[in-house]
Amino acid sequence: MDNNSFIANIEQSIINFWDRPSLSNFKQDAITFREVGERIAALHIFYEHCGIKKGDHIALCGRNCSEWAVYYFSVLTYGAVAVPLLHEFKPQNVEHLVNHAECKLLVVGDVVWEGIDAENLPMVKAVLQMQGRKLVYCKDNKFKEAYENLDAHFNEKYPNGFSKQDVRYERENPEDLALINYTSGTTSLSKGVMIPYRAIMGNLNFASRVITTLNKYSNTICMLPMAHMYGMAFEVNYEFVCGTHIHFLTRVPSPKIIAQAFADVKPDIIISVPLIIEKIYKNKLKPLLDKRLVKVLLKTPVIDKMFMKRIQTEMNTAFGENFYEVIIGGAAMNREVEAFFNKIGFRYTIGYGMTECAPIICYSDWKDTKKYSCGRPVEEMEVRIDSADPEKIPGEIIVRGQNVMLGYYKNEEATKEALKDGWLHTGDLAIMDKDGFVFIKGRIKNMILSSNGQNIYPEEIEDKINSMEYVNESLVVEQDGKITALVNLDEEKLDKDEVPREKYLEILEQIRTDSNKELPSYEQISQIYLQPEEFERTPKRSIKRYMYSHKK
């Protein structure tokens, strides 16, 4: 692998793995690396004849699919700037971000296109649909002519057919802008993170050092949004460079679809967010563990060990058996779930990162990590805890290194707030132990200061609430100086247990009482309210907290 150029790695992968399967939509035939190269070449011809120049911005918005990846690689290898947009953004948000990023071309999935009004996109010259490479909107004749004559232009350029010798891409400057990646908005509205090639390369070098099991015979599943840096870096970029066959889940990754994909594909590595893992625990394992007989048996050491070994085997089978480890990131993991997985010896690890670092900051292998930590700082990054006593007193995580962004697009104020004296201020609070392991406490914006001066981290209270029976998810906020919780109940389990709706308030009060028994006096929950619908989420499945800061 070339340690300096991302473009060189894409080029070499296409050449080296020419006839190997590269990309496929789940349960569909794969396209080879050769076919990826041919499609990139055709798109380069299209861009050139349209008058798109290096550095121009091209937006990509659609569900995960092999076509998405082809367009993404074509934009970067051409020297243009990719603007990946989450397909779960509302149409008006997509339109706003396409305009904000000053995109000349928009590439969309079929479902996304249905909600877009192209008349609201004054700078966009044309819109291509990923599926079938259709020109669905055009207001510049150059784009129409380039599209209609593409086959002729391709045959003219490659009269003897497309060969390995034709795969040649101009190398990037490490500081060149590669991506404008809009954050998913957990605590505020989206900001356009400017990712340079050196940051992409830093993540690629990290992955090549720690994920050593992937090769041209490996299979992986891409189930996180490609428009999010976590999924892009570790489900697409690195796998493509390794020659690995990537299977894209083109539908919403429900537990049923994911289980089927694990069984069929048997991935060699699994990249996940906590919500997916926690649902497996809550739906499959917790009902079994809560049975009275099982609780009695688990108190017998020999039976406990045998039982845990059996669960570990079943968990490994459920995830396809072949995986080296499950890498979990994007949000905090529920402590009850993590403690259980740790006890059974499940092969998981939790990492830490953010879009602004493309994304990796901390990671440790599953064999070396510590329970409840998110690993140690990776080689590419220097990490400090801004605290008088970083081992005991939480402070802001500040970082610097190869993976850090250039800044926020057209937002100097936010850039100055985040980048100070060469350090990126993450907004996350943590402690770091003597061995260098980082333990996240929460977000600065979420922290509540109690009347007696105690720092309260809502995430820690939510973790307690989420472990209670019948809780689907919760959100803790401050109202009038008191701790208030919004709770979304698990209606599927309530219906299964035949709990009438008139009992919901009693259940909520019981949740409050039981939670308070495990919380210190300054973190006591004063009020608890029913959140009837599921919380609004970002595509990485975190709650959009800012939407509920004043709700009851």
Side-chain angles (χ1 to χ4, degrees):
M1 193 182 90
D2 187 313
N3 293 323
N4 300 308
S5 169
F6 179 68
I7 301 299
N9 283 297
I10 299 305
E11 178 183 291
Q12 286 305 307
S13 289
I14 293 171
I15 294 168
N16 293 341
F17 308 119
W18 190 251
D19 289 319
R20 296 291 305 170
S22 176
L23 314 171
S24 65
N25 298 328
F26 182 50
K27 287 190 170 298
Q28 294 182 22
D29 292 337
I31 59 173
T32 63
F33 282 86
R34 175 183 61 80
E35 290 170 305
V36 172
E38 282 182 344
R39 294 183 188 189
I40 288 174
L43 286 167
H44 284 185
I45 291 169
F46 175 72
Y47 300 152
E48 185 180 348
H49 282 266
C50 289
I52 291 175
K53 299 180 177 60
K54 293 183 187 333
D56 283 347
H57 299 176
I58 298 176
L60 308 169
C61 186
R63 289 190 187 279
N64 283 7
C65 59
S66 56
E67 295 85 355
W68 204 117
V70 170
Y71 276 100
Y72 161 68
F73 288 130
S74 77
V75 172
L76 267 60
T77 52
Y78 186 75
V81 175
V83 183
L85 299 175
L86 295 155
H87 73 273
E88 294 182 352
F89 281 147
K90 289 181 169 53
Q92 59 266 36
N93 291 345
V94 172
E95 292 167 4
H96 167 71
L97 295 177
V98 169
N99 291 331
H100 183 266
E102 301 172 288
C103 297
K104 286 190 175 179
L105 179 66
L106 170 61
V107 182
V108 293
D110 47 6
V111 176
V112 173
W113 175 238
E114 290 173 9
I116 298 293
D117 184 350
E119 297 304 315
N120 295 331
L121 305 172
M123 285 174 276
V124 170
K125 305 293 185 185
V127 179
L128 283 173
Q129 188 173 291
M130 291 177 187
Q131 294 82 2
R133 200 175 66 194
K134 299 175 188 172
L135 185 69
V136 292
Y137 172 81
C138 184
K139 62 180 178 186
D140 186 322
N141 279 336
K142 274 198 299 187
F143 284 76
K144 187 178 180 182
E145 288 171 9
Y147 177 78
E148 290 176 345
N149 296 299
L150 183 54
D151 287 344
H153 290 317
F154 187 89
N155 292 332
E156 183 182 343
K157 185 167 185 177
Y158 305 109
N160 299 317
F162 188 77
S163 69
K164 290 182 182 181
Q165 287 69 38
D166 296 313
V167 184
R168 294 290 179 269
Y169 308 131
E170 188 176 325
R171 302 297 184 258
E172 74 276 22
N173 182 304
E175 292 298 322
D176 284 349
L177 178 62
L179 305 167
I180 300 175
N181 197 271
Y182 283 89
T183 60
S184 49
T186 305
T187 58
S188 62
L189 299 176
S190 298
K191 295 190 287 284
V193 180
M194 295 189 289
I195 305 289
Y197 277 96
R198 64 162 161 76
I200 296 176
M201 204 57 233
N203 279 267
L204 197 61
N205 286 333
F206 152 78
S208 69
R209 198 170 57 249
V210 303
I211 307 173
T212 57
T213 56
L214 296 187
N215 55 51
K216 65 181 180 180
Y217 303 110
S218 301
N219 288 276
T220 57
I221 298 169
C222 181
M223 57 184 172
L224 302 178
M226 275 190 68
H228 196 276
M229 284 309 305
Y230 181 35
M232 184 183 289
F234 304 125
E235 288 188 323
V236 179
N237 286 352
Y238 180 57
E239 282 76 0
F240 191 85
V241 168
C242 290
T244 295
H245 182 180
I246 307 169
H247 302 256
F248 293 92
L249 294 190
T250 56
R251 295 164 58 192
V252 176
S254 68
K256 185 177 179 181
I257 291 170
I258 291 170
Q260 186 181 2
F262 286 157
D264 292 358
V265 175
K266 299 188 182 302
D268 290 77
I269 197 86
I270 294 169
I271 310 297
S272 182
V273 291
L275 189 69
I276 292 170
I277 307 297
E278 288 166 7
K279 280 195 171 181
I280 291 171
Y281 174 81
K282 275 194 168 185
N283 297 339
K284 303 290 184 185
L285 299 178
K286 192 167 173 55
L288 175 64
L289 298 171
D290 285 343
K291 288 183 179 178
R292 188 173 298 174
L293 177 60
V294 172
K295 284 183 176 180
V296 172
L297 292 173
L298 291 179
K299 291 177 181 177
T300 308
V302 176
I303 295 176
D304 178 37
K305 191 173 181 180
M306 291 170 58
F307 188 73
M308 290 302 168
K309 186 68 178 173
R310 180 187 156 199
I311 289 179
Q312 183 202 70
T313 300
E314 289 184 2
M315 283 288 291
N316 290 343
T317 302
F319 282 86
E321 299 182 282
N322 284 352
F323 68 99
Y324 171 72
E325 68 180 0
V326 179
I327 302 174
I328 301 167
M333 183 91 162
N334 179 268
R335 287 202 162 206
E336 178 189 315
V337 178
E338 186 175 352
F340 179 78
F341 285 160
N342 188 269
K343 183 177 181 179
I344 67 171
F346 185 62
R347 303 193 299 274
Y348 80 96
T349 189
I350 296 174
Y352 166 66
M354 60 192 305
T355 304
E356 287 81 349
C357 291
I360 200 69
I361 297 172
C362 294
Y363 164 90
S364 288
D365 185 276
W366 77 275
K367 295 174 184 173
D368 306 320
T369 196
K370 288 188 180 181
K371 187 167 62 173
Y372 306 138
S373 90
C374 60
R376 292 188 179 103
V378 300
E379 283 183 19
E380 290 74 15
M381 300 296 288
E382 184 181 349
V383 176
R384 276 177 33 198
I385 306 298
D386 191 10
S387 165
D389 186 356
E391 288 187 38
K392 295 177 182 175
I393 302 172
E396 184 177 15
I397 303 172
I398 59 174
V399 303
R400 65 182 177 187
Q402 183 177 354
N403 298 355
V404 175
M405 67 174 179
L406 297 170
Y408 295 111
Y409 188 62
K410 296 198 298 191
N411 195 336
E412 287 187 22
E413 186 179 340
T415 300
K416 287 177 182 176
E417 188 179 332
L419 295 171
K420 301 172 187 173
D421 301 319
W423 292 85
L424 171 65
H425 290 246
T426 66
D428 290 316
L429 291 163
I431 58 173
M432 182 188 288
D433 72 10
K434 58 182 174 56
D435 299 318
F437 285 91
V438 175
F439 297 79
I440 306 286
K441 292 296 181 181
R443 294 283 295 169
I444 290 176
K445 288 182 180 180
N446 301 340
M447 191 186 77
I448 299 166
L449 186 64
S450 71
S451 56
N452 63 357
Q454 292 278 6
N455 290 341
I456 298 171
Y457 306 103
E459 294 90 344
E460 293 186 350
I461 302 174
E462 291 158 7
D463 196 72
K464 299 288 186 191
I465 297 171
N466 293 345
S467 297
M468 299 293 165
E469 189 177 22
Y470 297 125
V471 175
N472 185 37
E473 193 143 36
S474 64
L475 185 72
V476 169
V477 297
E478 179 190 20
Q479 288 186 339
D480 302 322
K482 296 179 180 179
I483 303 298
T484 298
L486 304 173
V487 174
N488 177 245
L489 295 174
D490 186 344
E491 296 213 18
E492 189 176 326
K493 184 166 175 28
L494 288 164
D495 290 344
K496 186 178 177 182
D497 292 350
E498 298 181 347
V499 178
R501 290 188 174 271
E502 53 267 27
K503 291 281 187 182
Y504 283 14
L505 292 180
E506 289 179 30
I507 288 171
L508 287 172
E509 182 56 26
Q510 190 63 51
I511 290 167
R512 188 184 76 86
T513 302
D514 291 345
S515 298
N516 281 342
K517 288 176 184 175
E518 298 185 28
L519 294 167
S521 57
Y522 61 87
E523 288 187 349
Q524 295 290 294
I525 303 165
S526 297
Q527 296 288 337
I528 193 162
Y529 298 99
L530 178 66
Q531 170 67 21
E533 306 90 19
E534 286 198 10
F535 292 102
E536 285 272 340
R537 296 179 176 280
T538 70
K540 67 175 183 178
R541 310 314 294 159
S542 302
I543 295 172
K544 293 184 178 180
R545 306 185 73 96
Y546 69 93
M547 295 181 64
Y548 301 94
S549 56
H550 303 294
K551 282 192 175 183
K552 280 190 182 181

